[in-house]
Amino acid sequence: MIDQNYKQETLGPILIFGSGETSLSGQRIFDQLFQQLPENPRVSLLETPAGFELNSHQVIKRVAHFLQQRLQNYRPRIDIIEARKRGTAFSPNNAKIAAPLLNADLIFAGPGSPTYTVRQLQDTVSWHYLVARHRMGGALVFASAAAIALGSYVLPVYEIYKAGHDLHWVPGLDFFAPYRMPAVIIPHWNNQDGGEGLDTSRCFLGKSRFEAMLDMLPKDQIVIGIDEHTALWMDCADQSCQVMGLGTITIIQDGEHRVISSGGSFPLDQLADCRIPDPGNGIPDEVWVQAQQVERSLLQEGAGPPQDVVALSKRRQQARDQKDWATSDEIREQITGLGWNVKDTPNGPELSKL
């Protein structure tokens, strides 16, 4: 039975990269996201987009290594979700493999093939767990193939750019359908790998081919082009969007092109007749009940200190880094007054209930 007391404002943020998620600019964007996560956050890395590759595990391990090394101050606990291919021991429909998604503070999916991602994830346990966790407040980060697969329609990059197929679209995972937002996501919007002799913008298709593909889309579609080393931060609870990183995003809607530079923000409802969906919308009842049970279990176990205590701990560590001992002691007393103890360790501060 669906819990009617569930609060819709717990929807987690969505971060969509145009590229560069493991670069220095990506690290800075991730850092801002991690500041909003609980201490020692649980991170699930979904292997599916590259599941057809023989080294798919190595592909996703590079992301794990990046998070462990570049964001080590947050001490993330990382699970690799080996959901590679349907009909195998590593199927996205394997509930045991997908289980960590239900208690993740952050779920990441990235490089691979967009069309493969859709074929392997559509209507699977892994996909339903991912959506349910987002409705419970988990953050989502998508890049590259996974970003494209999110849309109502998918750009078949490899099929057109590499294999020479005729221009066409493929139905996508349509993640934003419950939000009444028929979105098409195009990363690598300003790609210049082809140099002066070959236009590889618009995710390697080039402007002329992409303009022809625009005419093939239904009129209500919203195209969101994201430059390289740039990300679109969508705060579903706050109903706002922000452009982060080094470039711009381009929104094509009703035949008009709108470009928003890094640092710019706009209301989420500018993208469509956007609404927050009912909590269990589009999720099988049994999955939604399971997600609620996991969430209640985490709360009962005391999954971590409240956000105000976490924020104080981070402020205190900043004061210590600046050798501002008076401020550090003052913040410690505030933390103690809220019922928590802070212990300084070589790996950073640790909070425990008094």
Side-chain angles (χ1 to χ4, degrees), residues 30 110 133 144 153 161 173 204 225 239 252 263 324 332 338 349:
F30 265 113
R133 186 56 192 158
S144 192
Y153 290 90
Y161 178 59
L173 293 170
F204 307 101
Q239 291 282 282
I252 304 175
D324 184 353
R332 177 192 283 276
L338 292 171

Side-chain angles (χ1 to χ4, degrees), residues 209-322:
R209 281 193 295 195
F210 190 77
E211 288 297 322
M213 290 196 69
L214 282 178
D215 293 335
M216 300 177 183
L217 285 173
K219 298 301 182 184
D220 66 341
Q221 294 299 299
I222 304 160
V223 175
I224 304 175
I226 308 177
D227 282 355
E228 298 189 328
H229 296 277
T230 306
L232 175 63
W233 181 308
M234 307 176 76
D235 190 327
C236 298
D238 193 41
Q239 291 282 282
S240 64
C241 296
Q242 183 179 357
V243 182
M244 310 175 75
L246 305 182
T248 67
I249 70 163
T250 300
I251 299 173
I252 304 175
Q253 189 173 11
D254 298 327
E256 296 184 359
H257 290 59
R258 183 157 49 108
V259 178
I260 304 171
S261 300
S262 180
S265 61
F266 56 94
L268 186 58
D269 62 11
Q270 282 190 10
L271 293 177
D273 179 22
C274 193
R275 65 175 175 84
I276 301 299
D278 293 332
N281 183 292
I283 302 172
D285 285 352
E286 63 274 15
V287 172
W288 184 242
V289 170
Q290 189 178 358
Q292 291 174 314
Q293 291 171 342
V294 171
E295 180 69 6
R296 281 193 290 268
S297 174
L298 290 172
L299 293 173
Q300 289 168 1
E301 292 171 4
Q307 287 299 313
D308 54 348
V309 174
V310 172
L312 284 171
S313 176
K314 291 176 179 176
R315 282 179 50 201
R316 178 177 174 273
Q317 186 59 45
Q318 290 172 355
R320 286 175 57 82
D321 292 342
Q322 296 168 6

Side-chain angles (χ1 to χ4, degrees), residues 134-145:
H134 176 248
R135 304 273 176 87
M136 289 289 183
L140 303 179
V141 180
F142 297 98
S144 192

Side-chain angles (χ1 to χ4, degrees), residues 68-94:
Q68 288 168 336
Q69 295 298 313
R70 299 290 187 87
L71 295 145
Q72 58 183 302
N73 291 343
Y74 299 100
R75 292 174 294 156
R77 292 170 285 170
I78 296 177
D79 289 301
I80 292 179
I81 311 301
E82 299 174 321
R84 299 171 189 163
K85 186 178 181 180
R86 293 174 185 260
T88 71
F90 298 96
S91 171
N93 258 326
N94 186 321

Side-chain angles (χ1 to χ4, degrees), residues 3-4 7 42 46 62-63 70 76 98 115 127 195 249 262 271 287 295 306 312 338:
D3 184 355
Q4 298 301 324
K7 294 183 179 180
R42 300 175 299 270
L46 193 59
R62 285 197 287 269
V63 179
R70 299 290 187 87
T115 51
W127 179 248
I249 70 163
S262 180
L271 293 177
V287 172
E295 180 69 6
L312 284 171
L338 292 171

